[in-house]
Amino acid sequence: MNTAGHSEATARRGLELTPFRGLRYDPDRVGSLAAVTSPPYDVVVRPDGLRHLQSADPHNIVRLILPQATTPSERNEQAARTLRRWLSEGVLTADPDPGLYVYEQRDGDGMLQRGIIGALHLSEPSEGVVLPHEDVIPHVVADRAGLMRATSANLEPLLLTYRGNGSATATAEVVERTAEQLPLLATTTEDGFSHRLWSVTEPADVARVQSDLARHQALIADGHHRWATYRRLRAEHPSPGPWDYGLVLLVDTARYPLRVRAIHRLLHGLPVADALTAVDGLFRVRHLEVPLAQALEALADAAHAGNAFLLAGDGAFHLIDRPDSDLLARTIPADRPTAWRTLDATVLHATLLDHVWHIPEDDPAHIAYIHDTAATVAKAERGGDTAVLMHPVREEVVRDLARQGVTMPRKSTSFGPKPASGLVLRALDL
């Protein structure tokens, strides 16, 4: 294994990718393809982003991936009814032939990413074919499992990465040749990303991709909870069967490196003043009367020297760094690799949340995980809460820990760009 947490699978079976009949929106039945897409369910900023997506089009995919009702069972049944109605009305239609799907994302800054979407066999963890690098939150897995059971569908692909050999792979050749053809769909979402999708149905091309991927392992870049959900549901259903597979996007990071960003925390019910009082004498605290961009630059500078966090929510920014070494020794488990013990996420969860602020990390009433930096700050200021802004972890650290089989604290990283939800779905009863 050389980079990005991936390696060749030599003595064991590698990735098994299978064609499927994708469910896709009929462009004649919706306002626009862009208006029915959504970021992945855990990236949608709620409730503001949810309302925005719901109002974009009555058929926006968010009505399936984040249904709104009073109880979980009502939400899941609502999503199932909505999916059945859209299928009966022809809003969503199944492609006639099974295939793999080439997916392209491009932004205005010259970033280009291409990958291949398919149904991946859910190999046993001992085989080491798919490498997780983060812990999961049990109630989130239970929530996703309930939704998948009710809809009998994989509503959005998770993002996996693997390491090919530059351009000299069969998969790369099929992907690039396919991308020269007319796409099944092309749209540009409001974030400025353009999206294109093609199907690969020629048996020889499918076989070449399958043979090539069978020599590889993959790292979960985004979608740990959905992966855990796939595995839970596989154990619940007879095998062999459709639940043996899960919808994924595979990206070769030898050709298309991903970006790594941080996931921030919003601590409900903890005013910034109380958070600062609690860390007094345990961390160095510096108050910054600067805009967000400059505060993040200060965080990046401090992160080069050690653990550092940016607190916000009271109209200013507060940089806390240089944690007391005795405090770390008391609060961080000693039976893990040094790279894990020194992660910002480890120090945040084991030291600050558990021992200093006494915030239960599994309770959504006390903590939220938000990808958008400005949104995290704004929500903290509106609610009188504390935003904890994180600096991104280095990709090589993710790689090394995944290779050792050591998982990072939950929501430690955000790889991207993430696939847009709503471009292709997988119904398990097709």
Side-chain angles (χ1 to χ4, degrees):
M1 183 176 303
N2 40 25
T3 56
H6 325 120
S7 74
E8 300 295 330
T10 54
R12 52 183 175 249
R13 185 179 64 211
L15 300 166
E16 295 183 31
L17 199 64
T18 301
F20 69 104
R21 292 178 62 198
L23 287 183
R24 297 189 295 110
Y25 281 100
D26 181 344
D28 295 330
R29 301 297 304 273
V30 298
S32 73
L33 289 175
V36 295
T37 64
S38 165
Y41 79 96
D42 58 335
V43 182
V44 175
V45 177
R46 288 166 267 188
D48 301 357
L50 184 62
R51 285 194 294 263
H52 174 72
L53 291 165
Q54 288 174 329
S55 63
D57 189 284
H59 301 107
N60 189 283
I61 191 66
V62 78
R63 296 180 185 274
L64 298 182
I65 63 175
L66 288 173
Q68 298 301 293
T70 305
T71 68
S73 61
E74 290 174 348
R75 291 196 294 269
N76 296 334
E77 182 52 38
Q78 177 178 293
R81 287 195 305 269
T82 300
L83 178 57
R84 289 194 297 267
R85 185 174 71 254
W86 290 356
L87 288 169
S88 66
E89 294 174 351
V91 173
L92 286 169
T93 60
D95 284 333
D97 300 310
L100 303 175
Y101 294 84
V102 171
Y103 175 46
E104 175 190 280
Q105 294 165 277
R106 190 189 298 264
D107 70 6
D109 298 327
M111 192 288 304
L112 171 66
Q113 177 174 289
R114 288 176 178 151
I116 195 152
I117 295 174
L120 185 70
H121 191 267
L122 307 177
S123 303
E124 294 298 328
S126 59
E127 294 172 344
V129 174
V130 175
L131 303 174
H133 68 267
E134 286 186 356
D135 293 330
V136 296
I137 304 170
H139 75 79
V140 177
V141 176
D143 175 76
R144 291 293 101 185
L147 181 63
M148 284 191 204
R149 283 192 208 97
T151 58
S152 192
N154 299 152
L155 300 173
E156 46 186 347
L158 54 86
L159 175 61
L160 304 181
T161 69
Y162 71 100
R163 293 293 294 185
N165 184 24
S167 60
T169 67
T171 301
E173 191 277 328
V174 171
V175 166
E176 303 308 322
R177 174 164 44 83
T178 301
E180 295 175 357
Q181 303 168 11
L182 287 176
L184 293 174
L185 64 84
T187 190
T188 300
T189 45
E190 63 181 5
D191 58 6
F193 273 87
S194 65
H195 307 262
R196 296 198 295 169
L197 189 78
W198 300 260
S199 63
V200 179
T201 56
E202 178 63 40
D205 285 340
V206 171
R208 293 184 68 205
V209 171
Q210 290 176 319
S211 177
D212 180 32
L213 293 177
R215 300 182 295 110
H216 291 281
Q217 293 174 308
L219 176 75
I220 300 177
D222 185 68
H224 283 81
H225 290 89
R226 279 166 285 168
W227 179 255
T229 301
Y230 288 168
R231 297 197 56 78
R232 173 184 288 194
L233 295 176
R234 180 201 187 195
E236 294 176 1
H237 291 82
S239 182
W243 295 94
D244 289 345
Y245 299 85
L247 187 63
V248 303
L249 165 64
L250 277 160
V251 174
D252 177 1
T253 52
R255 290 183 60 80
Y256 301 109
L258 270 65
R259 300 167 177 169
V260 187
R261 293 190 170 95
I263 302 176
H264 310 296
R265 275 66 169 162
L266 178 64
L267 307 182
H268 300 297
L270 179 66
V272 175
D274 293 350
L276 292 172
T277 298
V279 300
D280 185 40
L282 302 176
F283 285 71
R284 181 176 68 167
V285 179
R286 285 178 284 169
H287 304 282
L288 309 177
E289 296 286 347
V290 298
L292 175 59
Q294 288 180 245
L296 291 174
E297 290 176 3
L299 174 62
D301 289 341
H304 289 309
N307 301 118
F309 310 92
L310 200 61
L311 307 188
D314 62 351
F317 297 101
H318 312 272
L319 182 63
I320 66 172
D321 64 354
R322 299 185 183 179
D324 178 75
S325 58
D326 291 338
L327 172 69
L328 297 183
R330 291 196 311 272
T331 57
I332 295 179
D335 59 346
R336 299 290 189 92
T338 300
W340 182 89
R341 300 181 76 248
T342 55
L343 287 170
D344 285 342
T346 298
V347 173
L348 173 62
H349 285 261
T351 303
L352 284 168
L353 292 181
D354 287 355
H355 292 272
V356 177
W357 293 328
H358 306 293
I359 300 289
E361 61 179 319
D362 288 341
D363 188 349
H366 291 89
I367 185 168
Y369 299 84
I370 304 177
H371 293 71
D372 186 278
T373 308
T376 310
V377 175
K379 289 173 76 71
E381 291 180 346
R382 284 202 302 269
D385 303 320
T386 293
V388 182
L389 306 184
M390 311 281 288
H391 184 67
V393 65
R394 299 192 315 279
E395 185 176 356
E396 58 265 29
V397 174
V398 179
R399 172 199 69 213
D400 291 342
L401 289 173
R403 181 168 53 190
Q404 297 174 59
V406 177
T407 54
M408 299 166 65
R410 59 202 57 174
K411 299 294 184 182
S412 293
T413 60
S414 175
F415 284 86
K418 305 177 190 303
S421 298
L423 297 181
V424 61
L425 292 65
R426 174 178 174 252
L428 275 73
D429 53 3
L430 282 177

